[in-house]
Amino acid sequence: MNERQRARRPGGRSARVGEQVHQAVTDLISERGYGNFTVGEVAARAGVADSSIYRRWGSLETLLTDVALTRLNAQSPMPDTGSLAGDLRTYAAQVAREITGPDGLAVVRLAVALSSNGQQGLQAGEDLRDERTRQLQSMLDRARDRGEHAPDAFDVLDHILAPMYIRVLFGMVPLTPDYIDGLVDRML
């Protein structure tokens, strides 16, 4: 195997650097909040050069958006249980675990901060919302294909995800299975 092939191997150094940088951002958000650190501080925390971050992400805002999207999407894949009710319950439980986990509050705060940070932040917020909506739409389309009545993706955001995010932001946890199932039942 030559050097060029080794450099393209998935899960190699590039993946490790990405994980280190993402964790550094999440830790800094937890410790200091949004807007209170620089690319240099992220780089130092991750053990990489500033130039590595700029080369890969281009800006701190782009990096922060990538962290939020990656964390939110990787931990909450769209389930396929065979029924809309089962899919929504499983998905809501996954999201609840994600946002109440060790980095959950930091990722939720990051998503909120990105969404309210001027024009660039509005784009980041739209990117986050669009990705979540696209994922939800695939689950809802599957339900319709099975002949089930499925709500609009924004209804899922409004009636299931938003209440959970608000509870986490205001420290109203835990998100119990009964609470989560109740959100799904009320929406359906």
Side-chain angles (χ1 to χ4, degrees):
M1 177 182 287
N2 68 34
E3 188 74 30
R4 192 174 204 90
Q5 288 171 320
R6 207 179 2 249
R8 293 183 183 172
R9 185 185 74 224
R13 183 179 186 285
S14 179
R16 281 193 310 279
V17 167
E19 289 170 14
Q20 290 168 307
V21 169
H22 278 215
Q23 190 59 54
V25 166
T26 304
D27 292 346
L28 287 165
I29 291 284
S30 291
E31 294 168 16
R32 301 183 192 173
Y34 177 81
N36 296 317
F37 54 88
T38 65
V39 167
E41 291 169 307
V42 171
R45 176 78 59 109
V48 301
D50 296 21
S51 59
S52 295
I53 293 175
Y54 285 114
R55 185 173 43 253
R56 188 167 183 172
W57 288 281
S59 70
L60 182 58
E61 198 77 18
T62 302
L63 169 60
L64 295 174
T65 301
D66 184 52
V67 168
L69 279 169
T70 301
R71 294 285 171 117
L72 291 172
N73 294 335
Q75 297 174 5
S76 295
M78 289 298 117
D80 188 359
T81 65
S83 75
L84 180 58
D87 290 351
L88 288 171
R89 280 189 178 81
T90 301
Y91 179 68
Q94 289 171 344
V95 170
R97 279 191 303 278
E98 158 199 314
I99 64 176
T100 59
D103 297 331
L105 181 57
V107 173
V108 171
R109 285 182 175 157
L110 175 57
V112 170
L114 285 170
S115 297
S116 60
N117 185 31
Q119 188 58 41
Q120 206 173 15
L122 288 175
Q123 184 59 53
E126 286 176 19
D127 291 347
L128 291 167
R129 186 195 64 230
D130 290 349
E131 180 61 20
R132 273 292 199 211
T133 303
R134 184 192 62 73
Q135 292 175 340
L136 287 168
Q137 194 60 56
S138 69
M139 177 175 50
L140 298 171
D141 289 345
R142 268 196 326 266
R144 284 187 192 97
D145 290 346
R146 289 189 301 260
E148 294 180 83
H149 173 73
D152 178 276
F154 284 108
D155 287 337
V156 176
L157 292 171
D158 287 342
H159 299 286
I160 297 176
L161 297 182
M164 292 192 303
Y165 278 59
I166 290 296
R167 282 182 172 246
V168 168
L169 281 169
F170 289 103
M172 301 164 59
V173 288
L175 301 177
T176 66
D178 287 341
Y179 173 74
I180 295 164
D181 286 347
L183 292 174
V184 172
D185 290 343
R186 282 189 294 281
M187 197 199 66
L188 293 175

